[in-house]
Structures are given as structure tokens and as C-alpha cells.
Amino acid sequence: MRSMTGYGRITKNIGDYSYNVEIKSLNSKNLNINTSISPLFSPLELHIQNLVKKYFKRGTLRISVDIKLLKTDNIIDVDLGLSKAYYNALNNLINELHLADDVNLEDLLKFKDIVKISIDEKTIDDIWEGMKEVLKEVIETVLRYQKEEGKDLKDFLNGYLNELEDIVIKIEENAHQIKEKYREQLKHNINSLISNIDNIDENRLEMEIVLLAERADISEEMDRLKSHIRRFKNFLENENNNDSIGQELDFICQEMHREFNTIASKSKILEITNLSLEGRTLVNKIREQAQNIH
């Protein structure tokens, strides 16, 4: 199991290039990849994102890439024709305005379109081969970081789940009081209407009590709660989870929260109501931790 938070950074020279790659991984419901790279190497951005998507399904990934050339390549081109045109135009301006100035190199370099920087496709391919190697190493570093964080998350979640199981047991221990509670409530209501309780049809009374108790029966909610807890634990223990489990665990938390809400609305027993509130609070804590799971 992996957390969504992680960090990795590597600087490495391969061939004629120096690579500095950093990845920061943060929580996010979906996968968001933000890449910072020089426009000179922008053709590599799509390659980077496609590689990263093979390892990450969720989270915000901030990738910073710095590439330096270790030897001089023919990547700078000077437009001599355009340079001469600028030079002549400036000289004409000086002559027309009778200025006591000369056109120099610094003046020409202010025109950005004179110097063009470009890298051919073959060079980009060569750079990507080294970049791919460094990027994979950084990804492995991030994954190790996430797995260590995942161990701590797993311990937290198992502790919360054990507490949740204790709450479910306590609710079950008090659930038998529901029928008796409705019996007492119904008799009390009838007593307030008639003075002689002996005239009540006991069979009809018992039938009404059973009907009321069935409406307040929480056995199905309890069964689903226990099933959700087992399923959650199975996800935590299954080391062969290949896909992102964070979204699945978030869904289970929603379902557990729903069951506790239903139990609280059905029950007239104070102990069960309080235990349901404790259960919902605990599920919120579980969900908060689960949302950091990749």
C-alpha cells in the first residue's frame, strides 16, 4: 500500500548531458501532472508524462527537469541576413537623425529573432534516452517513499478499524433493548389513554410491538457494517493490489457512514445513538487517512 505523498531528486550525467530531475507527489483525487522544463526541451514533456502515468494513478505530481549540455552542439543559429538588415536600418536611423552613435553587437542582440536556438529530432531522441533512465530512478525513489508512508497509514487504519469493530459489538449488545423499549413506550401511550390496562388485547399489543420493532430492526445495517469492515481490511492486507485502492476505500467509508446514520435514525436507545455517533466520527477519521492512499 502506498501513500500519495512522496519525494525524489537525482542529478546525473549521462553521455553529453547533465540531468537534474525532481518529483514531488501530493494528495489529489485524480492524477495531475505539472511539468517544469525549458522550452528548448519541450518535445520531451509528453514522453515524461506518458512514462509517469505507468506508475501513478492518483495524486498531483510536480516534476522539475533541468538539462545541461556538456559539450558544444550546433544548436545556435544566427540569422545573418536579418542581422545585416537590422544593422543597415539602425545606421540609416543614425544618419537620418544625425546621431553621434555607432551600431554595435549589443544593439543587435536586443533583437531576439536574430539568434535562434533549436535542437534537431535526433538530439532530442538522444537526450530522452538518458532522461528516461534518470526519470525512472527518481520514480523508484518516490515509490519507496510512498511505500514507507503507506506502512504508517496501514497501522493507523487498522487501529481505527479495530475501534470500529468494538463499537459494532457494543451496538449489537444493546440492540435487544429496542423491542423492549418500544413495548414500554407503547404501553405508556396506551396507559395515558385508558385507565384499565387489563382491558388491552395482549395479542394485538404484541403484534403492534413486533411491527414497530421490525421497523427499527438494525440487523441488516449491522451485517453490512461488518461486511464493509472486513472488505476494508482485506484491501489493506492484500499485497497484490495492482490498481489504485484509495478510491475504493473512500467509497467503503461513505457506505459505513450511511449505515451508522441509518442506525442512529432507527434507534430510540440512547446508548445505540451515542455509539452510532462515535462510529461516524471514527469513519470520518478513517476516510481522512484513506484519502491519502494511492
Side-chain angles (χ1 to χ4, degrees), residues 190 194 197-207:
I190 293 174
I194 59 176
I197 194 71
D198 295 331
N199 293 334
I200 297 176
D201 185 338
E202 291 292 338
N203 291 330
R204 180 61 182 273
L205 175 62
E206 187 65 25
M207 185 181 299

Side-chain angles (χ1 to χ4, degrees), residues 163-171 260 275 278-279 282:
E163 290 182 45
L164 204 59
E165 285 180 321
D166 291 340
I167 288 175
V168 171
I169 290 172
K170 290 176 183 177
I171 291 177
F260 277 119
L275 286 167
E278 287 182 36
L282 201 52

Side-chain angles (χ1 to χ4, degrees), residues 4-20:
M4 271 193 284
T5 55
Y7 177 79
R9 181 175 180 272
I10 289 179
T11 299
K12 191 173 186 178
N13 293 350
I14 299 178
D16 298 327
Y17 312 101
S18 174
Y19 303 90
N20 186 316

Side-chain angles (χ1 to χ4, degrees), residues 112-243:
K112 303 300 183 183
D113 50 350
I114 287 178
V115 179
K116 296 181 173 61
I117 302 175
S118 62
I119 297 180
D120 60 37
E121 189 174 339
K122 182 181 181 305
T123 302
I124 286 292
D125 290 341
D126 291 340
I127 293 173
W128 170 241
E129 287 305 310
M131 176 70 204
K132 182 166 55 176
E133 180 181 327
V134 176
L135 185 58
K136 285 182 178 180
E137 289 184 30
V138 180
I139 288 173
E140 288 300 324
T141 302
V142 174
L143 293 178
R144 284 195 300 271
Y145 191 112
Q146 291 184 338
K147 287 175 183 177
E148 288 300 318
E149 290 275 313
K151 290 178 183 177
D152 294 336
L153 271 175
K154 183 177 178 180
D155 292 338
F156 275 120
L157 289 170
N158 275 321
Y160 285 144
L161 289 169
N162 290 336
E163 290 182 45
L164 204 59
E165 285 180 321
D166 291 340
I167 288 175
V168 171
I169 290 172
K170 290 176 183 177
I171 291 177
E172 284 187 316
E173 290 173 351
N174 286 277
H176 70 279
Q177 299 180 44
I178 294 178
K179 183 176 180 180
E180 190 59 37
K181 181 73 175 179
Y182 275 98
R183 182 192 299 274
E184 292 174 2
Q185 183 179 335
L186 190 58
K187 281 188 175 182
H188 175 76
N189 291 341
I190 293 174
N191 255 336
S192 65
L193 295 175
I194 59 176
S195 57
N196 189 357
I197 194 71
D198 295 331
N199 293 334
I200 297 176
D201 185 338
E202 291 292 338
N203 291 330
R204 180 61 182 273
L205 175 62
E206 187 65 25
M207 185 181 299
E208 292 294 332
I209 292 171
V210 169
L211 289 174
L212 286 172
E214 284 179 354
R215 292 174 192 168
D217 181 44
I218 59 172
S219 57
E220 288 186 10
E221 287 79 10
M222 298 302 296
D223 288 341
R224 285 195 292 267
L225 262 177
K226 288 184 281 189
S227 175
H228 292 324
I229 294 172
R230 285 195 302 271
R231 190 178 178 197
F232 201 110
K233 283 192 169 186
N234 287 338
F235 272 114
L236 295 184
E237 297 303 325
N238 186 1
E239 298 296 334
N240 296 319
N241 287 316
N242 295 320
D243 297 326

Side-chain angles (χ1 to χ4, degrees), residues 31-154:
L31 179 62
N32 303 302
I33 303 174
N34 302 318
T35 307
S36 174
I37 189 171
S38 167
L40 182 62
F41 306 107
S42 59
L44 296 175
E45 188 169 355
L46 186 58
H47 293 305
I48 293 170
Q49 293 190 1
N50 287 337
L51 180 59
V52 167
K53 287 177 182 178
K54 294 180 180 179
Y55 297 89
F56 301 93
K57 304 299 180 185
R58 300 176 72 199
T60 293
L61 298 175
R62 296 174 181 170
I63 305 172
S64 176
V65 177
D66 182 31
I67 303 171
K68 291 183 173 61
L69 308 179
L70 299 180
K71 76 171 188 178
T72 303
D73 288 313
N74 296 323
I75 65 170
I76 299 178
D77 183 40
V78 178
D79 191 328
L80 294 178
L82 188 59
S83 301
K84 290 176 182 178
Y86 279 128
Y87 180 81
N88 292 333
L90 290 175
N91 272 322
N92 288 336
L93 183 62
I94 289 172
N95 293 332
E96 287 291 330
L97 299 179
H98 306 290
L99 301 175
D101 285 317
D102 294 320
V103 179
N104 56 41
L105 181 61
E106 184 179 353
D107 296 325
L108 292 175
L109 290 177
K110 292 178 181 177
F111 298 97
K112 303 300 183 183
D113 50 350
I114 287 178
V115 179
K116 296 181 173 61
I117 302 175
S118 62
I119 297 180
D120 60 37
E121 189 174 339
K122 182 181 181 305
T123 302
I124 286 292
D125 290 341
D126 291 340
I127 293 173
W128 170 241
E129 287 305 310
M131 176 70 204
K132 182 166 55 176
E133 180 181 327
V134 176
L135 185 58
K136 285 182 178 180
E137 289 184 30
V138 180
I139 288 173
E140 288 300 324
T141 302
V142 174
L143 293 178
R144 284 195 300 271
Y145 191 112
Q146 291 184 338
K147 287 175 183 177
E148 288 300 318
E149 290 275 313
K151 290 178 183 177
D152 294 336
L153 271 175
K154 183 177 178 180

